[in-house]
Amino acid sequence: MLNPRKWFYPAIVALAGFAGGLAAMQFAPGSALAARHHNLRIVTAEQFDLVDRNGSKRATLEVRPRGMADLMMFDSEGNDRAELRVARDGGSSLNFYDTKGHQRVLIGETPPGRNGVAIYDTAGRQLATLSAARDNQASLTLYDANSGRARAGLGVAVSGEPALVLFDQQGRDRLEVHVGANGKPGIALADASGKSIAGLPVSEAPASTR
């Protein structure tokens, strides 16, 4: 019985690396730091604040203690709604938040070259992730907002083989559908222990030697 797990599972696991790497870039705005010096053409400082005509802060540009460059933009109520970040190691992300401070969308890149988009619900829980690796393998994963576990994954391997994987409430692989490099489709069903219980195509039994 054909089984697409050999290539599709690495794509799902890599998504965790993408989300985890970007998670390290999530920090609250830091305290203001005084400017060092300035002249007529160049102003050098560790933080700049941009205010509107009423004196309300609408944007902040700073370098965090860990070396991250961060541009934060606020709405008229002072809520942080968008941030552009570049880490010391080159990882970068663009983040969007709602009025309650919950992250809703993240677009980013983390070394060694995984790029993607993550979407979150109104409580800040991850709902979907679309990412691509440096070798051009792409994956889409959908999550259960209640448990946080992956429930469905769609991916295309480097060789061009597509596959769809469905998971149960515990995150276990229960159904896989794929099309092989030779163009032949396959399907596999598994029980809660991970044992295959049905599938197509079925491997032929070896010919009798009698």
Side-chain angles (χ1 to χ4, degrees), residues 8 15 32 38 51 53-55 71 75 77 80 96 102 109-110 120 126 154 166 170 176 183 189 197 200 205:
F8 189 76
L15 289 177
H38 63 86
V51 300
R53 294 182 178 180
N54 297 319
L71 172 61
D75 60 22
E77 301 298 323
D80 185 355
F96 298 94
H102 295 141
E109 177 270 333
T110 57
Y120 303 81
Q126 189 168 353
L154 177 65
L166 302 181
Q170 303 304 316
E176 301 181 8
L189 286 75
I197 56 178
L200 292 172

Side-chain angles (χ1 to χ4, degrees), residues 6-28:
K6 292 183 179 180
W7 68 263
F8 189 76
Y9 260 12
I12 294 295
V13 173
L15 289 177
F18 165 75
L22 291 176
M25 302 174 68
Q26 310 303 313
F27 299 100

